[in-house]
Amino acid sequence: VASPGILELILAEAQRKQNQDLVLKTARQIVADFPETDYGIEARMILGRDAVARGDLDEALLHLDIVREVFATSPEAGEALLLIGDLRRRGSDWDAADEAYNSVLGVKGWKHLWPAALYGRGEAARGRKKFAEAAACYERIYVLYSGHPAWCAKAYLARAECLQALREPAKAVETLDELLGLPDLQQQPEIEAARALRAQLKGAGS
């Protein structure tokens, strides 16, 4: 059996060369030989992300749940919880998704993940047709985390869509106008959809 140090070197070199087959093979070896050691965190995250990409919910949750439970205070555990939330949301398990995202918000060391977790909570609320609750989550993102432009643009558009669902078109237009008036966000991919939604709302109100 190769030592964990050797396997880590092989893994790093495979990642550097973008040899995905060797990356996955080495990660599986690390998990098999050193399952609940610190060496297994990165390996399980690699396998978890790969399973997510392949749509294998069971395998993804197997690895991500272990990261969350065994390495609960690690930065990787926060990322694992976000991925678990995404997977649960993909399966329309809104309560489980919300629980995972909310767990991220409870750890101060994961503040860099909070915009994503808030957005996830908004999406889970929207999935349950709780549009006012969702709109509040989205608003918190661009009010509190203006240093995350990608999440702010997503949040503005999502909040406007919720306000539209709540039959508050004037507030939706106001939200979109704010987004479209922020120079730092004009390169974000949501801008085109924001313009289209604004035109639709203005047309319906004329």
Side-chain angles (χ1 to χ4, degrees):
V1 177
S3 72
I6 292 297
L7 289 171
E8 279 195 320
L9 287 173
I10 294 171
L11 182 61
E13 183 66 10
Q15 289 175 311
R16 188 181 69 80
K17 293 183 175 179
Q18 299 183 336
N19 183 341
Q20 186 66 1
D21 288 342
L22 184 56
V23 166
L24 294 174
K25 179 181 178 182
T26 308
R28 290 192 187 98
Q29 190 67 49
I30 292 172
V31 166
D33 294 345
F34 311 99
E36 293 189 4
T37 67
D38 287 348
Y39 297 107
I41 300 179
E42 183 184 5
R44 286 200 183 275
M45 288 303 297
I46 288 169
L47 296 174
R49 289 190 206 100
D50 177 69
V52 169
R54 290 186 286 104
D56 189 333
L57 177 64
D58 291 338
E59 185 181 348
L61 289 174
L62 167 69
H63 294 297
L64 297 172
D65 276 334
I66 289 173
V67 171
R68 176 187 64 172
E69 292 166 8
V70 177
F71 310 104
T73 60
S74 69
E76 289 84 359
E79 185 186 346
L81 279 163
L82 282 182
L83 286 169
I84 289 168
D86 292 346
L87 287 168
R88 293 304 189 190
R89 184 158 53 86
R90 193 182 295 178
S92 299
D93 189 346
W94 309 116
D95 291 340
D98 187 64
E99 181 182 352
Y101 294 130
N102 200 37
S103 295
V104 175
L105 295 171
V107 180
K108 288 184 178 179
W110 297 341
K111 279 188 176 180
H112 62 292
L113 301 176
W114 285 3
L118 273 172
Y119 189 85
R121 291 203 75 194
E123 293 291 276
R126 188 153 45 157
R128 295 189 300 248
K129 309 297 184 187
K130 294 184 177 181
F131 296 111
E133 182 182 322
C137 287
Y138 300 133
E139 186 176 26
R140 283 179 65 193
I141 294 170
Y142 59 77
V143 169
L144 298 175
Y145 304 106
S146 58
H148 296 262
W151 287 113
C152 287
K154 287 177 182 293
Y156 272 112
L157 178 59
R159 180 170 185 260
E161 290 168 345
C162 286
L163 290 168
Q164 180 187 29
L166 290 166
R167 298 183 180 178
E168 296 187 49
K171 287 185 179 179
V173 169
E174 183 181 315
T175 299
L176 293 167
D177 283 344
E178 189 173 338
L179 166 59
L180 295 170
L182 291 169
D184 290 347
L185 300 186
Q186 298 313 298
Q187 301 306 313
Q188 298 300 322
E190 290 75 21
I191 291 298
E192 187 175 341
R195 289 197 183 102
L197 179 57
R198 186 186 185 282
Q200 177 189 333
L201 290 166
K202 294 291 281 187
S206 61

